[in-house]
Amino acid sequence: MPRFEPFRALRYAAPDLEPLLAPPYDVLDAADVDALQARSPQNVTRVDVPRGGADRYGVAATTLDGWVADGVLVLDPEPSFTIYRLRFADGHGVARDVAGVLGALEVVDAGAGGVLPHERTTPKDSTDRLELTRATRANLSPVWGLSLAAGLADLLAAPGELVGRLVDDAYGRRVEHVWERVTDPERVRAIRDLLASDDVLIADGHHRYAVGRTFRDEVRAATGRTDTAAELTLAFVAELVADQLSVEPIHRLYSGVDPAALRAALERSFVLTEVAGDEGTVSAVNATSMVLLTADGAWRLDPRPGVLDGVRALDGVWLETTLDGLDPQVAYHAGVQPALDAVTQGRAVAAVLVRPPSLAEIERTAREGLLMPPKSTFFTPKLKTGAVLRPLDL
């Protein structure tokens, strides 16, 4: 089972975190970064999303070191865990109060167990994150893990020492982010021991975790040691329970394929029933069924009896099985309206709205050592970067 350890965190000294923090780097475009950096010369994107030429990683490292020297960032005097609470209304309007813990998660070899991948990943250049880690010697953005051990939510219910709070209205959703430091030895031990008792499933941040493995191996080769800070990586871990997670689907956008051929392939596995193509109707239908969108209309997809027997009951797997051999180009997007827009504006010849997998299916897949298709789940809301940074030179 994986180690999960407290560490001495770097935190912003300023009480107002709103101008300083940012969403994860991989959801930001250039305009987002411009807007964030306009808020403050100390916004975390100046380190986490380095800009410029070949020297940008060195500049990021110099900036980070300067913030520490100038007291913009302050190192905790002792190791701690940080409870991270997210309070929001999910896509169905249900109020949620999610609690996870920020700590240092063990970096294990691929296939070794303990820390399990959740889904197959799409190709992505990891060089940027690796170069940034090498230069800054810090974990800047956490991996999101799900603990399969029961009881973590209960351990995190009592408050810790409040060290930060902000309310974010980005993406049309109000989210309260709260960070609380935990240093009490007994509570730290209880959290550490519980998380070491069962597997942790990576929900988001597979590439960051893989970069952590590469960096760990480089440090081992350079030092001959297996006891450095590179043996672990920054992670937010929550319990895999229904009331602690908000899971939304990531829909499929298809191009590079004849829409008639796509529909014919789908009709071999599904009965297509036409529905109104407005967002409200499509969203309501998508709550219980997959939905095909094309320029000609919208159709509910219901599995034909017996055709998909023996195929794991995951929408992404059903689609991969049904479209095998057709080889369309696939893009991914959360949200019904963006999928409708992509089709009506001609950026996709068709879209299929999928449903999120159940938490039971997520756990079952992990326990059996299997992987879901790419982009099977969208865990919301996104974590803020910058509230807790983890130095790798201590």
Side-chain angles (χ1 to χ4, degrees):
M1 297 299 108
R3 292 161 50 210
F4 190 74
E5 301 288 347
F7 62 90
R8 293 179 67 192
L10 270 176
R11 306 177 195 270
Y12 278 105
D16 183 8
L17 296 176
E18 192 277 334
L20 304 172
L21 306 190
Y25 71 94
D26 52 0
V27 302
L28 300 176
D29 60 23
D32 295 328
V33 177
D34 288 340
L36 288 162
Q37 295 191 354
R39 294 180 180 181
S40 170
Q42 285 87 38
N43 186 274
V44 71
T45 57
R46 296 182 184 274
V47 172
D48 194 44
V49 190
R51 288 172 150 180
D55 66 339
R56 62 188 181 276
Y57 303 109
V59 171
T62 299
T63 300
L64 181 61
D65 291 344
W67 289 353
V68 174
D70 294 342
V72 174
L73 292 170
V74 178
L75 186 66
D76 277 357
E78 60 182 317
S80 66
F81 286 130
T82 300
I83 299 172
Y84 186 172
R85 304 188 192 278
L86 300 129
R87 299 183 175 118
F88 60 100
D90 66 19
H92 302 287
V94 177
R96 291 186 175 270
D97 190 343
V98 175
V101 57
L102 288 160
L105 178 66
E106 184 179 5
V107 176
V108 302
D109 293 334
V115 179
L116 309 176
H118 160 54
E119 60 189 22
R120 302 197 309 275
T121 54
T122 53
K124 182 184 291 186
D125 183 4
S126 297
T127 302
D128 171 73
R129 290 295 104 182
L130 181 58
E131 292 288 352
L132 187 60
T133 304
R134 288 167 174 163
T136 61
R137 309 288 293 186
N139 296 146
L140 305 174
S141 185
V143 172
W144 185 326
L146 300 173
S147 175
L148 302 187
L152 179 60
D154 290 339
L155 280 181
L156 303 180
E161 174 196 357
L162 181 65
V163 290
R165 176 186 178 276
L166 67 80
V167 176
D168 184 18
D169 290 304
Y171 309 109
R173 173 182 290 179
R174 183 186 186 279
V175 182
E176 181 184 11
H177 303 257
V178 180
W179 295 271
E180 299 166 358
R181 179 165 46 204
V182 175
T183 56
D184 175 70
E186 290 188 8
R187 195 172 186 194
V188 166
R189 186 180 307 110
I191 294 170
R192 182 192 63 205
D193 292 350
L194 180 70
L195 286 176
S197 69
D198 206 340
D199 295 328
V200 171
L201 176 66
I202 298 177
D204 193 11
H206 293 80
H207 293 284
R208 269 165 275 174
Y209 192 79
V211 164
R213 186 182 295 127
T214 301
F215 183 74
R216 178 206 66 182
D217 291 346
E218 290 180 351
V219 172
R220 284 181 175 181
T223 65
R225 295 170 54 189
T226 58
D227 61 350
T228 72
E231 299 292 319
L232 304 105
T233 194
L234 178 62
F236 166 87
V237 181
E239 187 175 351
L240 182 61
V241 289
D243 63 351
Q244 286 289 306
L245 294 172
S246 175
V247 186
E248 298 180 6
I250 304 182
H251 306 305
R252 275 53 178 159
L253 308 180
Y254 296 104
S255 57
V257 64
D258 179 66
L262 180 70
R263 174 166 175 162
L266 290 170
E267 286 185 315
R268 288 194 288 269
S269 296
F270 300 94
V271 175
L272 275 62
T273 304
E274 190 167 11
V275 298
D278 61 280
E279 182 187 8
T281 301
V282 166
S283 296
V285 173
N286 184 224
T288 57
S289 300
M290 286 193 288
V291 179
L292 169 66
L293 305 175
T294 75
D296 297 324
W299 292 264
R300 188 179 74 237
L301 302 180
D302 297 308
R304 292 187 182 277
V307 174
L308 293 170
D309 288 355
V311 179
R312 185 175 290 266
L314 293 168
D315 288 358
V317 176
W318 280 357
L319 287 173
E320 287 186 343
T321 301
T322 298
L323 301 180
D324 184 37
L326 198 59
D327 198 28
Q329 297 173 20
V330 187
Y332 305 90
H333 210 299
V336 171
Q337 190 59 53
L340 285 165
D341 292 344
V343 172
T344 57
Q345 295 168 10
R347 290 181 282 110
V349 300
V352 174
L353 307 183
V354 300
R355 300 158 297 178
S358 67
L359 296 188
E361 193 61 46
I362 291 172
E363 180 172 0
R364 175 190 171 199
T365 302
R367 295 287 195 192
E368 293 180 3
L370 303 176
L371 296 177
M372 293 185 177
K375 306 294 184 180
S376 289
T377 50
F378 184 61
F379 292 90
T380 62
K382 290 297 184 181
L383 306 176
K384 290 292 186 182
T385 294
V388 175
L389 307 181
R390 178 173 177 261
L392 292 169
D393 280 333
L394 297 181

